Amino acid sequence: MDTTNNHKTALFRSLHKAQQPLRLANVWDVASAMITEASGAHAIATTSAGVAWSLGLPDGSKLDRGQAVAAVARIVEAVNLPVTADIEDGYADSSKGVSLTVTEVLNAGAVGINIEDGNTDPESFSEKIAAARQAASQAGVDLFINARTDVFLSGRGSEEQRIEDALKRSNRYVDAGADGIFVPGAINKAAITALVEGVSVPVNVMVGPGSISVSELAKLGVARISLGSGVAQAAYAIAQAAAVELFTVGTYDSVADGLDYGRLNGLLASSPALTQ
């Protein structure tokens, strides 16, 4: 691992601070990554949903390892910031497969990963986390492993039961080697407070319209805030609105707030793709 990547790895880890949460506007391609970097980001995070949609696939581990890693590699090369990669379930059913995915993601230059339990039982998922940690150690990378639990997204049980289940899973995942815990769907103060107080590592929440503000989340002790697939969804909503407006009323107001052509083209003029 070169000196630059060592610096990025340490920097990314240091950005996870309670009361000063890392803000991640998740990206899916080089253009969105470069725009996000130029807008003042401290780190870049991918959204697997956005990557999948951009390649004509639905979200939900329909990407294969090669497609996911290739997207990460392009983004890493295009920006100067640390990059953390959403690898869904690790693109594998087995721990061995997760090791291979993590090795390839590290070779692409990422310094962090998001890996999710989904429908995987906690024991098997813990084995995946341990495999990811071992692969990173063998590569000599202090990889930041953000373990996502989908307990709240499942909608099963009462909120109290979801909090209890999320805490049990989270602490098990920390014991397996996770550096952070991501709990999408935990949106109110009571749930977030319980998670922050009950987990020893940085807690990540997903936000969107109507969510608790960054300043309030900071007061609750959240260390990482993600927009998830929200930015990609908003971008595609503009595409839909513009098309509908054009094909129905025949006007073009939907694209009125688009980025200036010269500014966007100028930003991409520095893309490494031009030298390949």
Side-chain angles (χ1 to χ4, degrees), residues 70-217:
V72 172
R74 289 191 295 270
I75 289 167
V76 168
E77 189 172 9
V79 298
N80 294 312
L81 296 173
V83 174
T84 183
D86 180 353
I87 62 169
E88 302 190 71
D89 62 357
Y91 302 112
D93 294 327
S94 67
S95 297
K96 184 177 180 180
V98 170
S99 294
L100 178 58
T101 298
V102 169
T103 298
E104 292 191 11
V105 167
L106 291 173
N107 288 338
V111 300
I113 59 167
N114 245 54
I115 185 168
E116 63 199 49
D117 58 8
N119 295 318
T120 306
D121 66 88
E123 181 178 358
S124 297
F125 187 63
S126 295
E127 291 173 359
K128 286 186 172 186
I129 294 171
R133 174 59 62 211
Q134 184 176 18
S137 296
Q138 290 176 343
V141 181
D142 190 20
L143 179 72
F144 192 100
I145 299 174
N146 204 37
R148 169 178 146 175
T149 179
D150 288 349
V151 168
F152 278 82
L153 295 181
S154 73
R156 294 190 294 270
S158 66
E159 176 152 310
E160 290 75 16
Q161 290 172 322
R162 290 178 211 165
I163 291 172
E164 182 180 2
D165 191 9
L167 286 171
K168 286 180 179 178
R169 288 172 181 253
S170 296
N171 286 304
R172 183 168 191 163
Y173 300 162
V174 171
D175 289 341
D179 299 293
I181 294 296
F182 183 25
V183 193
I187 56 175
N188 64 47
K189 290 184 179 180
I192 293 169
T193 298
L195 291 165
V196 169
E197 292 179 350
V199 179
S200 61
V201 298
V203 171
N204 181 185
V205 298
M206 186 164 67
V207 295
S211 295
I212 300 171
S213 69
V214 169
S215 60
E216 287 299 312
L217 289 171

